[in-house]
Amino acid sequence: MRPFRNPHHTISQGALVGGGSNPRPGMISLAHRGVLFLDELPEFQRIALDALRQPLEERKVTIARTSGNVTYPSDFELVCAMNPCPCGYYPDKNRCRCTEPQIKKYMGKVSGPILDRIDLCVELHPVDVAGLQKERSAENSESIRKRVLRARKRQEERFKGTKYRFNSDIDVADMDTFCALGREEKKYMEEIYKTLKLSARAYHRILKVARTIADLEGDKNISIDHLTEAALYRPSLDYWI
């Protein structure tokens, strides 16, 4: 079974990324090849969250001591959850008791560089009673599992003979090879880049997410629809300003 780690928001930077006089692995290494779940994300110490930046990029963490350096693996899937404000009701002005400075301070605890490293950001909205009582037909877990396995098989064939396993592994130098875009798709991405004021990192993450969406739908090429969906998963400017 793959590891699952769910540290409390009071965890120290050392316990999260590793450390100590005799360096020991932290939660991110204990979650290697598994899931690290951070609930109530803004409640974590900002210094601890920012310490995740390098491990999320390099998939390893190096702890430096006078006696030498120790490197631990940290290839984990980061999953986070948070409220839109301290009371949890923003942007419902009829229920939210927070002031604008309180909301900005709360949201500001999560830095831009950390958001840049999160591929999928989904905002949930309150469900009314009618929505709870309405019967819905949804895709079952077995059907989703089959689609995921088919997508994994496509990636296995795509990366045969390379150093990669999944779309998320693709280096910037190989983006044109594995996430190639047509002429119209390139123009569309130029518009997205300017409109959303993306960083280079976010731009490439959108391409990799779009490639995965195409794989899940069984499409060989990345289309404008795939790019649009991937871009919609970026953090919303309505909140993150």
Side-chain angles (χ1 to χ4, degrees):
M1 182 179 294
R2 292 184 181 273
F4 176 86
R5 301 289 171 173
N6 179 19
H8 192 264
H9 61 77
T10 57
I11 191 172
S12 67
Q13 176 186 347
L16 186 63
V17 301
S21 54
N22 294 315
R24 296 175 62 84
M27 281 289 182
I28 63 174
S29 295
L30 297 177
H32 180 63
R33 292 299 186 186
V35 172
L36 177 69
F37 177 53
L38 303 183
D39 196 13
E40 300 293 348
L41 185 64
E43 300 298 339
F44 285 79
Q45 299 178 44
R46 179 158 179 168
I47 189 174
L49 293 180
D50 283 341
L52 297 177
R53 290 158 58 175
Q54 185 175 0
L56 283 169
E57 288 291 324
E58 300 181 356
R59 303 184 182 184
K60 62 182 179 181
V61 59
T62 299
I63 303 169
R65 292 293 181 268
T66 55
S67 57
N69 297 338
V70 178
T71 299
Y72 293 111
S74 60
D75 187 0
F76 58 92
E77 182 175 353
L78 177 64
V79 180
C80 308
M82 62 178 289
N83 289 315
C85 69
C87 78
Y89 291 116
Y90 181 80
D92 186 346
K93 296 298 185 179
N94 294 321
R95 304 177 70 186
C96 181
R97 304 184 302 273
C98 304
T99 64
E100 289 297 326
Q102 286 176 323
I103 295 171
K104 287 185 178 181
K105 181 180 179 181
Y106 180 79
M107 301 297 282
K109 292 181 179 179
V110 184
S111 68
I114 285 293
L115 290 173
D116 246 5
R117 290 164 169 80
I118 295 178
D119 292 329
L120 310 177
C121 183
V122 180
E123 297 169 12
L124 302 180
H125 301 282
V127 180
D128 56 22
V129 175
L132 292 174
Q133 296 175 343
K134 183 179 180 181
E135 293 185 6
R136 300 180 180 180
S137 57
E139 185 178 13
N140 59 47
S141 297
E142 181 59 28
S143 176
I144 294 173
R145 180 177 183 272
K146 289 179 180 179
R147 284 199 296 118
V148 171
L149 290 177
R150 286 195 294 268
R152 288 279 297 270
K153 184 64 176 179
R154 292 187 186 97
Q155 293 177 39
E156 181 181 329
E157 294 172 354
R158 176 180 302 125
F159 299 128
K160 187 177 296 183
T162 73
K163 62 180 179 179
Y164 305 126
R165 297 178 63 203
F166 310 113
N167 294 332
S168 60
D169 298 332
I170 303 172
D171 292 336
V172 174
D174 291 323
M175 292 296 292
D176 288 341
T177 301
F178 297 111
C179 295
L181 299 179
R183 180 180 300 177
E184 293 302 315
E185 287 73 21
K186 286 182 178 179
K187 290 182 179 179
Y188 186 68
M189 276 305 297
E190 289 177 8
E191 295 177 9
I192 290 177
Y193 184 82
K194 295 175 182 177
T195 302
L196 299 184
K197 299 178 181 179
L198 299 174
S199 66
R201 180 183 293 109
Y203 175 88
H204 290 125
R205 285 183 177 275
I206 286 178
L207 290 182
K208 288 189 278 189
V209 171
R211 176 66 271 171
T212 300
I213 294 171
D215 288 342
L216 287 169
E217 295 184 356
D219 294 331
K220 181 179 179 180
N221 298 319
I222 299 174
S223 70
I224 288 179
D225 286 343
H226 302 143
L227 294 170
T228 301
E229 182 176 349
L232 289 173
Y233 291 130
R234 298 307 303 166
S236 170
L237 294 179
D238 291 340
Y239 293 144
W240 305 100
I241 56 175

